[in-house]
Amino acid sequence: MKPRSYGPFKFVPINRRPKLVWPGGARVALWIVPNIEVFHLDNIMPGDENQRPGSRGGGTPMVREWAQRDYGNRVGVYRVMEVLEKYGIKGTVALNTDICHVCPEIIEDTVALGWEFMGHGKTNTHRQTEIPPEAERQHIFDIFDTIEKATGKRPRGWLGPGLQETWNTLDHLIEAGADYIADWVNDEQPYEMDVEGKKITSIPYSYEVNDSAVIVRQKHTAPEFERIMKEQFDVMYRDGAKTGRVLGICLHPFVIGQPHRIGALDRALEYICSHDGVWKATGSEIIDYYSEHCEKI
């Protein structure tokens, strides 16, 4: 898309939209997004602002930081699988495609559970904004092709590493076959984007109900994250009586998959799923229903 001061979509406040009704009259679409990521030991890992530590001159491995994250793939993700399966929830994986090569067993196990996959870069060591402009299109196509080959289905969604995009990312994603994008954390309902006449739908991911943001960056405890998940649901459930909402819960196995934290996820999902009017959905299910049955804003 061309550079602009506002996104490629209309500003329509939520009190001036058609009523959104989910299947069966559900108030809330519950969307669980496990981020299954891989980092390269031989490259310095970026921080939130894409900064990189400057004291590692010779490429000394960041062993502690790397190993913390590798724990999520070796152990933590299997606790997340068990909890989601307990409540009949299929995750929508934000997938670094290097997982397909480094940890293929995770792909086998999540496919067996019927989880969905959306593109999330090749590795979280590199941000989308670090890909050379002339290489970005092929980079995205390689990711979509790799997921299709590894899982048997071409991905329909995308979450950028660090939620970052270039001015060309949406164009390349649409060309690669993406139907939805999760980077734009500015709403509680899906909405259509118009990218120079081409369409893609934004789905409500969350930087607020996100274990990495809450626990790692903001230094809250697991019980506080449990409270956040429940209170986010309570308000959305109340407001969903007027017009439907999407409750995105965003997870990182190296964080929530720790033994002392997994109970917070279990208790929060038990609470949420005890309510009527909660639709447990994947990204594609949400987008398909919105596209086929809901009046667009």
Side-chain angles (χ1 to χ4, degrees), residues 8 34 64 71 123 147 160 169 183 206 223-224 235 238 243 247 274:
R64 190 268 299 165
Y71 174 91
T123 165
I147 294 176
T169 301
D183 294 340
S206 180
E224 288 172 318
V235 174
R238 180 199 69 198
T243 184
L247 172 56
S274 70

Side-chain angles (χ1 to χ4, degrees), residues 34-296:
N35 287 243
I36 301 183
E37 302 167 341
V38 65
F39 292 79
H40 289 174
L41 184 59
D42 59 356
N43 201 314
I44 296 173
M45 293 185 293
D48 291 342
E49 303 301 327
N50 207 33
Q51 77 276 18
R52 296 184 186 271
S55 59
R56 298 277 180 168
T60 305
M62 299 173 70
V63 171
R64 190 268 299 165
E65 295 89 343
W66 180 88
Q68 275 187 292
R69 287 156 178 80
D70 192 46
Y71 174 91
N73 296 333
R74 298 171 69 92
V75 180
V77 69
Y78 293 97
R79 289 198 178 99
V80 175
M81 291 180 193
E82 289 174 0
V83 172
L84 296 195
E85 189 174 18
K86 179 179 178 180
Y87 297 104
I89 297 169
K90 294 181 180 180
T92 301
V93 177
L95 183 69
N96 286 170
T97 52
D98 278 6
I99 287 283
C100 300
H101 312 301
V102 178
C103 316
E105 296 87 350
I106 294 176
I107 302 298
E108 293 174 10
D109 293 339
T110 45
V111 167
L113 290 170
W115 286 16
E116 182 180 344
F117 300 84
M118 60 179 173
H120 188 44
K122 292 184 178 181
T123 165
N124 256 43
T125 309
H126 301 95
R127 301 304 196 215
Q128 199 68 19
T129 49
E130 296 178 322
I131 307 301
E134 66 276 10
E136 186 183 10
R137 178 185 180 277
Q138 188 60 53
H139 178 81
I140 288 172
F141 270 77
D142 288 346
I143 290 163
F144 275 62
D145 292 345
T146 298
I147 294 176
E148 183 175 18
K149 182 177 180 181
T151 70
K153 292 183 179 179
R154 195 164 184 82
R156 297 178 58 194
W158 176 268
L159 176 73
L163 282 68
Q164 295 192 17
E165 298 181 12
T166 73
W167 290 113
N168 298 314
T169 301
L170 292 177
D171 299 271
H172 298 323
L173 288 172
I174 293 168
E175 187 181 356
D179 294 318
Y180 67 90
I181 178 77
D183 294 340
W184 301 69
V185 290
N186 60 348
D187 216 303
E188 295 178 5
Q189 295 180 334
Y191 60 83
E192 278 193 345
M193 292 181 164
D194 186 339
V195 184
E196 319 302 343
K198 299 168 290 186
K199 303 293 184 181
I200 190 168
T201 302
S202 176
I203 190 170
Y205 189 73
S206 180
Y207 200 70
E208 296 287 328
V209 189
N210 184 314
D211 60 356
S212 182
V214 171
I215 295 172
V216 177
R217 299 184 184 97
Q218 299 170 12
K219 311 302 182 187
H220 291 302
T221 64
E224 288 172 318
F225 185 52
E226 178 184 341
R227 175 188 60 78
I228 287 168
M229 288 186 278
K230 291 177 177 178
E231 291 189 1
Q232 186 90 345
F233 168 75
D234 283 342
V235 174
M236 284 190 166
Y237 190 74
R238 180 199 69 198
D239 294 345
K242 301 174 184 176
T243 184
R245 312 288 166 135
V246 176
L247 172 56
I249 297 180
C250 310
L251 306 172
H252 297 73
F254 81 94
V255 181
I256 201 66
Q258 293 285 345
H260 63 96
R261 294 190 182 119
I262 194 67
L265 177 65
D266 194 341
R267 290 186 295 271
L269 291 181
E270 180 181 26
Y271 175 75
I272 292 167
C273 294
S274 70
H275 290 72
D276 293 329
V278 175
W279 177 36
K280 306 166 189 175
T282 64
S284 290
E285 288 170 340
I286 292 169
I287 294 305
D288 284 344
Y289 189 87
Y290 176 76
S291 298
E292 295 170 13
H293 300 285
C294 302
E295 187 176 347
K296 306 305 178 293

